[in-house]
Amino acid sequence: ERFIEWEVSYTFPAIGLRTIFFNAQHIPDENNTRLILLALNDITLRTEAEKIQSHQNLIMILESVPQITFSATADGAFNYFNNFFLDYAGITLPGALERNWMDIINPAQLNDVSQSWSHSIKTLENFNKEFQLRRKSDGMYRWHICRATAIINDQGVVTSWVGSATDIDEQKVLEKAKDEFISIASHELKTPLTSAKAFLQIIEHSMQQKKSADLIYIKKAGAAIDRLTGLVVELLDVSKIQHGKLGMHIASFNFNKMLSEAIESVQISSTKHTILQTGQIRKEIKGDEQRLKQVIINLLSNAIKYSPEADKVFVNAELKNGIVKVSVKDTGIGISKKNLNKIFDRYYREDGRAVHFQGLGVGLSIVKEIIQRHNGKIWAESEPGSGSTFYFTLPV
């Protein structure tokens, strides 16, 4: 006893595929007989016109953007490139659609780009990739960051893909220059810091024997040297990562013992916070023990640093289905959701933190690299003002 309407696509033997709009309505009469009024309307032409208009509107938007834009069908076949791309690549639209667009990707990166694109089409995950495109005017390969997302209709069906590519070549050049400077500077700093630490230890030993009242200042100087050495070590690790030289020494080790040692190392230097551990990993795992200890220490140090008003940090470890899962939880200042996907980026520091908290913004990027080198995963959950929880998993 209600009005019903719906659309359906149907193939008629004589005229082919048509889009039919149905509506049905119950019409009561004097004898209470149930009558149904059914109306069918062929809206194929209207539907096709709407699709054409929608595509034309999309083309207008993509042409108005001063960077490379493109669209593709639901199965990933490219069906449009804007004039900005055609001018950059020096090809025509028919040529680009004939897959000639692949010719301008750096050949060394083409296979990786194709695999990532296929993965996005299959999983519907956003495409996000950095690679080089050859510019026609000078033949140079320039770095671009390419992003694409699936367009999904009201029925949850992917209808197309839309994306863009932004030139980041100058940014990449600056990053490379900065990395080279940091690599040289950190190597040059390491030797004098080691010497300064050794001299301080000699002086400290002498003052201890003389029971000098000034011993406390030597200890503070030593602690400052240790902090600076830690920063230099982080920068050296960043340099190694950039050059693919972050060594891993894989062997079986006692995970519980490593975790306890890492917690003890951080607890000694923290007088305000108590680190509470739950869970046990009653099995040896394979990995780089020292690098994984570095991960735990970094996460614990961050938890303490960013929860200045709290007095507890919580660590949990568990083993399930051959996967080790560790969490480090604090009740500190938290992280905004919009920045959660950026915190593992190199040199990233959330706005407002750099002034109040020490650090270079490289620790978490190193942690991420170590976990990924162990075929693991790392992520964070947080609410501003309610603290953060960092998780990582490792296959046994």
Side-chain angles (χ1 to χ4, degrees):
E1 297 182 357
R2 60 191 178 89
F3 185 76
I4 302 173
E5 51 185 31
W6 71 96
E7 286 184 14
V8 64
S9 294
Y10 185 78
T11 301
F12 293 88
I15 58 175
L17 181 68
R18 311 298 288 176
T19 302
I20 307 299
F21 179 77
F22 289 81
N23 65 53
Q25 185 175 12
H26 171 241
I27 302 177
D29 65 0
E30 297 176 355
N31 300 322
N32 235 7
T33 303
R34 291 188 176 275
L35 300 176
I36 302 295
L37 177 63
L38 182 64
L40 290 76
N41 184 22
D42 185 342
I43 60 169
T44 303
L45 294 179
R46 189 185 77 190
T47 302
E48 292 301 319
E50 289 175 351
K51 289 180 180 179
I52 292 172
Q53 184 61 49
S54 177
H55 183 69
Q56 289 176 340
N57 291 340
L58 175 62
I59 297 302
M60 289 178 62
I61 294 172
L62 296 182
E63 282 294 343
S64 67
V65 178
Q67 63 189 58
I68 294 171
T69 57
F70 58 87
S71 66
T73 59
D75 59 1
F78 292 91
N79 57 11
Y80 168 77
F81 292 94
N82 70 343
N83 284 316
F84 190 99
F85 172 78
L86 302 178
D87 292 340
Y88 178 94
I91 56 179
T92 63
L93 181 57
L97 297 181
E98 285 288 331
R99 297 182 65 81
N100 290 346
W101 61 270
M102 300 175 69
D103 293 341
I104 74 165
I105 297 178
N106 187 329
Q109 301 167 341
L110 180 56
N111 186 54
D112 185 37
V113 173
S114 297
Q115 289 182 355
S116 297
W117 179 246
S118 297
H119 176 77
S120 292
I121 298 301
K122 183 179 179 180
T123 63
L124 302 187
E125 294 178 5
N126 286 345
F127 179 80
N128 195 331
K129 197 78 176 172
E130 293 182 6
F131 51 89
Q132 292 174 302
L133 298 175
R134 187 182 67 245
R135 186 166 60 184
K136 176 65 175 178
S137 60
D138 56 10
M140 298 293 292
Y141 283 100
R142 295 181 62 83
W143 281 99
H144 287 71
I145 182 167
C146 183
R147 297 187 175 96
T149 188
I151 306 300
I152 302 175
N153 64 18
D154 295 338
Q155 288 73 44
V157 177
V158 175
T159 59
S160 60
W161 286 78
V162 176
S164 65
T166 305
D167 190 319
I168 58 169
D169 198 73
E170 292 182 4
Q171 177 184 334
K172 279 285 189 179
V173 170
L174 291 174
E175 276 187 12
K176 184 179 179 181
K178 180 170 64 175
D179 290 337
E180 289 176 351
F181 168 77
I182 287 173
S183 177
I184 294 170
S186 55
H187 276 94
E188 292 296 322
L189 283 170
K190 190 175 182 180
T191 300
L193 282 174
T194 303
S195 299
K197 180 67 175 177
F199 290 135
L200 282 174
Q201 287 175 336
I202 293 172
I203 296 171
E204 182 179 349
H205 180 69
S206 175
M207 285 187 165
Q208 282 175 338
Q209 290 182 328
K210 296 176 182 179
K211 297 182 180 180
S212 171
D214 294 332
L215 180 62
I216 185 174
Y217 301 112
I218 294 297
K219 288 184 177 293
K220 289 188 176 187
I225 291 289
D226 288 340
R227 285 196 299 272
L228 187 54
T229 301
L231 293 175
V232 171
V233 169
E234 283 190 343
L235 290 174
L236 284 171
D237 281 343
V238 169
S239 177
K240 290 175 183 177
I241 290 170
Q242 286 299 103
H243 294 89
K245 297 180 180 179
L246 186 67
M248 291 286 161
H249 305 285
I250 306 300
S252 295
F253 68 94
N254 187 315
F255 192 89
N256 277 339
K257 183 173 178 290
M258 180 276 293
L259 183 60
S260 297
E261 289 175 353
I263 291 173
E264 182 181 357
S265 174
V266 178
Q267 185 67 83
I268 288 174
S269 61
S270 176
T271 57
K272 182 180 178 181
H273 292 75
T274 301
I275 302 173
L276 303 174
Q277 179 188 348
T278 56
Q280 298 284 331
I281 307 298
R282 302 186 184 280
K283 187 174 183 178
E284 286 199 344
I285 76 164
K286 281 190 175 181
D288 188 320
E289 182 176 0
Q290 294 307 312
R291 286 296 184 186
L292 291 174
K293 184 184 289 186
Q294 180 181 352
V295 168
I296 301 292
I297 291 174
N298 185 287
L299 295 179
L300 287 173
S301 299
N302 279 354
I304 290 171
K305 182 196 300 185
Y306 294 114
S307 58
E309 303 302 321
D311 59 2
K312 291 183 178 65
V313 171
F314 305 90
V315 180
N316 181 66
E318 61 184 42
L319 174 61
K320 187 176 181 181
N321 298 326
I323 300 293
V324 170
K325 183 178 181 181
V326 177
S327 66
V328 177
K329 175 181 173 59
D330 66 65
T331 54
I333 62 175
I335 307 165
S336 62
K337 287 187 176 180
K338 68 177 182 178
N339 292 328
L340 271 177
N341 63 335
K342 303 176 185 176
I343 57 175
F344 296 102
D345 293 347
R346 192 157 33 104
Y347 306 123
Y348 177 78
R349 304 200 67 196
E350 194 170 16
D351 292 343
R353 291 194 175 196
V355 176
H356 303 290
F357 300 98
Q358 295 179 344
L360 299 172
V362 299
L364 286 178
S365 67
I366 296 170
V367 164
K368 180 182 178 182
E369 178 71 16
I370 293 171
I371 295 299
Q372 288 183 337
R373 293 282 293 275
H374 283 80
N375 297 316
K377 296 179 181 179
I378 185 166
W379 70 97
E381 297 174 357
S382 184
E383 288 288 343
S386 300
S388 306
T389 304
F390 282 78
Y391 300 89
F392 70 83
T393 59
L394 299 168
V396 171

